[in-house]
Amino acid sequence: MGLENIRQKVARAEAEAGRAPGSVTLIAVSKVQPLERVEAVLEQGHRIFGENKVQEAQGKWPDFKARFDGVELHLIGPLQSNKTRAAVDLFDAIHSVDRPKLARRLADHAQELGASPDIFIQVNTGEEAQKAGILPADADDFIAECRAMDLPLRGLMCIPPVDETPSLHFALLAKIAERNGLSGLSMGMSADFEQAIALGATHVRVGSAIFGARDYG
């Protein structure tokens, strides 16, 4: 599909949902993509990217950041507690905060550095045993806990189960966010970002539709 095609689809979905133009942030998910594909998207002027792993991002992005102004990096994959310092140094936003221990570590680093990435809490809307994320029933308490730590809580994130209707999960995430006064909704990927925008997504995470299929080798 390519970047320009996805930009047009996002703009169309914004318009159809009665959303302001540019109200949805398109995160180009560059995990496991060859450097030349990432560079091509940077050359087209896109600056907001998502990575799944701290280590992979450390090997890829310092060089790109030195060459391209205004790059904004989002961590969208699970974060191990022992990688929090590196994540705080490298990322502008972390979308996968899902447990008190991790939140506490991030808060400690934020206090130490006097700055913090934007924080999104990952909610396991499908209550899947193998998936990261706080359970919906525990979300309100965890949101309050993160706020008490003075973390810059921007919103919520979810990854719906592959075999269920994603819009049900997007609606649930939006409901949890609304009752907690959170405006950020990180939801929607290559196959369903238009549905996510219709249900209030502020950040959509699109990889293969921009870069092409991933080669996991």
Side-chain angles (χ1 to χ4, degrees), residues 42-214:
L42 282 159
E43 295 281 7
Q44 291 175 73
H46 196 73
R47 291 292 181 269
I48 303 170
F49 292 83
E51 290 284 342
N52 259 40
K53 295 181 179 176
V54 174
Q55 200 165 345
E56 183 186 346
Q58 284 176 312
K60 182 188 298 181
W61 282 101
D63 178 55
F64 280 143
K65 281 189 164 189
R67 293 168 51 207
F68 295 92
D69 288 337
V71 167
E72 191 178 297
L73 211 51
H74 294 241
L75 180 65
I76 57 175
L79 177 57
Q80 297 167 294
S81 296
N82 64 350
K83 296 273 175 63
T84 51
R85 178 61 189 257
V88 166
D89 285 340
L90 186 60
F91 290 95
D92 299 285
I94 297 172
H95 291 235
S96 47
V97 177
D98 63 349
R99 58 197 186 279
K101 180 184 176 184
L102 178 59
R104 171 45 58 200
R105 289 228 176 171
L106 289 167
D108 289 346
H109 291 314
Q111 293 293 332
E112 178 190 339
L113 298 169
S116 171
D118 285 340
I119 299 297
F120 290 76
I121 289 172
Q122 182 171 352
V123 181
N124 185 352
T125 54
E127 303 186 26
E128 297 172 276
Q130 80 283 8
K131 193 171 280 181
I134 200 91
L135 293 174
D138 300 327
D140 293 358
D141 287 343
F142 187 49
I143 289 166
E145 205 172 335
C146 289
R147 282 180 163 148
M149 295 180 201
D150 278 339
L151 282 169
L153 196 54
R154 176 85 170 79
L156 306 178
M157 183 270 256
C158 76
I159 304 170
V162 294
D163 56 350
E164 293 187 21
T165 305
S167 56
L168 298 174
H169 296 270
F170 299 154
L172 172 59
L173 196 73
K175 189 176 178 182
I176 296 170
E178 184 180 24
R179 70 171 178 249
N180 284 282
L182 288 168
S183 60
L185 288 169
S186 172
M187 59 189 196
M189 297 186 284
S190 288
D192 55 27
F193 67 87
E194 289 153 305
Q195 295 174 54
I197 291 170
L199 288 162
T202 57
H203 295 68
V204 294
R205 311 179 304 269
V206 181
S208 54
I210 291 174
F211 295 101
R214 293 184 190 94

